[in-house]
Amino acid sequence: MTMTDEDGISDADIYDEHGAVRSDFLTEISDAIDRGDRSVIERHVVRLHESELGDLLEALPPPERLTLVRLLGDEFDMTALTQVDEAIRMEIVDQMPNDQIAAGIGELDSDDAVYILEDLDQEDRDEILSQLPFTERVRLRRALEYPEQSAGRRMQTEFIAVPPFWTVGQTIDYMREGEQLPETFTQVFVIDPSFKLLGSIDLDRILRAQLEAKVESIMRETSHPIPAEMDQEDAAQIFEQYDLLSAAVVDENQRLVGVLTIDDVVDVIQEEADEDIKHLGGVGDEELSDNVISTVRSRFVWLAVNLMTAILASSIIDVFDGAIEKMVALAVLMPIVASMGGNAGTQTMTVTVRALATGDLDIYNAFRVVRREASVGLFNGILFAVIMGAIAVLWFHDFQLGIVIGVAMIINLVAAALGGILLPLLLHRFGADPAIASSAFVTTVTDCTGYLAFLGLATWWFALR
């Protein structure tokens, strides 16, 4: 049974059946914000999980979300800022005094703190860090020195590390009594006096071991330590491949500097997949919360590239203007050939870019995959050549035109398949991001090949008869 308090706000889940914030909940919170009713806000917003608070912030209009943060004051959960778009996060942080940010940062895990700090201006970042305890300040500065989107930026600097000569009993006592230990963890790491990583012990193994047993006797060698400089996407692939819940992060001297956990890796996987999808559409790092100017700037570059490629394709059509004037059917049918090639190329390109991103496509299986895609293009080309050829004959009562468009369809679908896989592979080989540039180039190949094949064959064929 759903309960409703005197404010009219239901205590049920804040989401509706579609996964959006319930309209009645949003309306009641908005009304409380307009009234400046802090008691209602504290009663119904403070209880929310960080992800729920993040969704609420995204659902509110900008003025109301800023007022909500102000009304919450010290009760505002800074972790919610890791759940919202970058534009919203910066909008909120810009309105918060640095001492409030420093107080909130001090309550966060180091990975969440770095996530918020890395987008701030250097001056604000230094001022906030200066207000933190020395040990915490050093940890955060060290994490911020690692490259963006690296494992070092994603790691937690709070972890449990013990020497190999300790007993299990000593380790358990340390975990019970030690200060500044992580709230949740699944592994205890074993280090030498120089902090070099020797191994790790899962918690279940510690609980099953005798209290007198030495740590070195029950530890296992850490076979998958992650370099702090490693790209976060590569680190996520290691987690996926070996089904890890957490992994040690080490510096260039194999010294333990942090731990990467599965919750952060899930965020990385989602971010990378989201980034690839956006790049395939040529919209960069655009977010729904971005303003008009930044959205225009994000999309303009690749629209301009597409304009140039469209002009190139149109110039091929211009070469055959005489043939088109003599036979109007060519103008009617040629977009079909180009469109089919474009769709086929996009299918292959999408599969290829994703396979490159996940590491499923590499130098060892590239030839086999290229051969498969070429075969798929050929068979699809033959099937659609028969279909489109028959349609052209019935439409224009010209058997020879059906043959021409059928052959052009085969040529373009094979070219689309090859372009859809070879172009991303080539871009990847030279260090470019295939998700960003592939779309425009594959479209160019399919359009140009389609127009050239169809109009060229038609001009040659009908010149002979």
Side-chain angles (χ1 to χ4, degrees):
M1 183 180 195
T2 300
M3 302 296 293
T4 303
D5 66 9
E6 66 273 14
D7 303 308
I9 301 179
S10 169
D11 288 332
D13 187 7
I14 71 166
Y15 300 108
D16 61 22
E17 64 273 16
H18 303 295
V21 178
R22 289 197 340 260
S23 58
D24 61 325
F25 181 84
L26 193 60
T27 299
E28 293 289 348
I29 296 299
S30 295
D31 290 344
I33 292 172
D34 291 339
R35 298 192 308 269
D37 194 334
R38 184 187 175 103
S39 62
V40 173
I41 296 298
E42 288 183 340
R43 186 157 57 250
H44 297 288
V45 176
V46 171
R47 68 180 176 83
L48 297 179
H49 184 270
E50 63 201 49
S51 63
E52 296 175 331
L53 179 54
D55 289 337
L56 176 61
L57 289 171
E58 291 187 331
L60 290 170
E64 291 186 8
R65 71 169 66 109
L66 296 176
T67 304
L68 174 63
V69 172
R70 180 177 56 80
L71 289 171
L72 287 171
D74 293 338
E75 297 292 331
F76 175 63
D77 185 358
M78 292 281 288
T79 314
L81 294 181
T82 65
Q83 307 293 317
V84 299
D85 292 346
E86 181 181 351
I88 294 177
R89 180 167 62 253
M90 295 307 301
E91 172 189 288
I92 294 173
V93 170
D94 286 344
Q95 298 300 317
M96 297 175 67
N98 285 340
D99 56 345
Q100 182 182 357
I101 298 175
I105 289 289
E107 300 296 323
L108 301 181
D109 290 335
S110 57
D111 54 338
D112 292 329
V114 169
Y115 193 80
I116 294 172
L117 288 171
E118 64 183 356
D119 292 325
L120 299 179
D121 294 335
Q122 187 65 46
E123 183 179 348
D124 290 331
R125 186 190 302 174
D126 291 340
E127 181 180 344
I128 292 168
L129 288 172
S130 67
Q131 300 180 45
L132 299 177
F134 175 76
T135 302
E136 188 173 352
R137 181 167 67 248
V138 170
R139 285 179 176 178
L140 293 178
R141 284 192 185 279
R142 181 171 60 181
L144 287 165
E145 288 174 357
Y146 290 110
E148 291 186 18
Q149 298 189 329
S150 66
R153 282 288 184 97
R154 284 290 188 177
M155 69 181 181
Q156 276 186 238
T157 55
E158 300 91 358
F159 52 82
I160 297 179
V162 299
F165 53 82
W166 274 17
T167 64
V168 169
Q170 286 177 297
T171 302
I172 292 175
D173 289 341
Y174 174 68
M175 289 189 290
R176 286 173 176 167
E177 302 170 2
E179 298 180 358
Q180 296 183 340
L181 297 181
E183 292 185 5
T184 58
F185 55 93
T186 59
Q187 284 183 313
V188 173
F189 298 103
V190 185
I191 56 173
D192 68 9
S194 65
F195 252 75
K196 186 174 181 179
L197 181 66
L198 300 177
S200 63
I201 316 172
D202 293 330
L203 287 183
D204 60 333
R205 190 171 179 84
I206 291 178
L207 293 174
R208 293 189 180 103
Q210 297 295 323
L211 295 179
E212 299 80 12
K214 295 288 186 180
V215 164
E216 59 187 350
S217 68
I218 64 170
M219 76 175 189
R220 60 181 176 82
E221 184 179 349
T222 304
S223 55
H224 308 293
I226 295 176
E229 302 279 346
M230 177 181 284
D231 185 89
Q232 62 180 13
E233 189 172 6
D234 296 333
Q237 289 176 4
I238 292 177
F239 268 72
E240 180 182 7
Q241 182 175 358
Y242 297 104
D243 297 325
L244 303 179
L245 293 177
S246 63
V249 180
V250 296
D251 64 12
E252 64 276 8
N253 296 314
Q254 297 302 304
R255 292 178 300 188
L256 181 65
V257 293
V259 57
L260 198 59
T261 55
I262 187 62
D263 59 320
D264 295 315
V265 171
V266 169
D267 290 338
V268 169
I269 293 171
Q270 183 176 355
E271 286 178 13
E272 294 293 342
D274 183 60
E275 182 181 272
D276 286 346
I277 291 171
K278 289 177 179 177
H279 283 163
L280 282 172
V283 295
D285 297 325
E286 179 183 323
E287 302 287 353
L288 288 177
S289 56
D290 290 348
N291 58 39
V292 173
I293 300 300
S294 60
T295 303
V296 170
R297 188 183 302 117
S298 171
R299 300 183 185 184
F300 178 83
V301 174
W302 285 108
L303 285 175
V305 172
N306 285 334
L307 175 61
M308 295 299 104
T309 58
I311 292 173
L312 177 61
S314 297
S315 66
I316 293 177
I317 297 174
D318 185 56
V319 173
F320 299 99
D321 61 340
I324 296 174
E325 288 177 1
K326 294 177 182 178
M327 192 170 187
V328 178
L330 299 180
V332 175
L333 295 175
M334 66 182 182
I336 298 175
V337 179
S339 177
M340 288 296 294
N343 288 332
T346 299
Q347 289 177 335
T348 305
M349 176 192 67
T350 302
V351 173
T352 302
V353 169
R354 191 61 192 146
L356 286 171
T358 58
D360 294 331
L361 181 60
D362 53 37
I363 190 173
Y364 301 105
N365 62 358
F367 179 75
R368 177 177 58 82
V369 177
V370 170
R371 186 175 57 190
R372 188 199 71 169
E373 290 299 328
S375 299
V376 170
L378 177 61
F379 283 117
N380 274 335
I382 293 172
L383 291 173
F384 284 101
V386 173
I387 295 171
M388 195 58 226
I391 292 174
V393 172
L394 293 173
W395 193 347
F396 296 100
H397 308 289
D398 190 329
F399 181 77
Q400 292 180 334
L401 181 61
I403 294 176
V404 168
I405 195 171
V407 174
M409 191 73 74
I410 295 173
I411 293 173
N412 201 26
L413 263 65
V414 171
L418 292 174
I421 188 170
L422 293 177
L423 284 172
L425 283 171
L426 188 64
L427 291 168
H428 182 71
R429 174 66 179 82
F430 287 100
D433 187 347
I436 297 176
S438 295
S439 180
F441 292 128
V442 170
T443 301
T444 302
V445 168
T446 56
D447 284 352
C448 293
T449 304
Y451 292 139
L452 187 60
F454 180 52
L455 296 177
L457 284 171
T459 301
W460 171 75
W461 184 274
F462 294 114
L464 296 178
R465 68 176 186 174

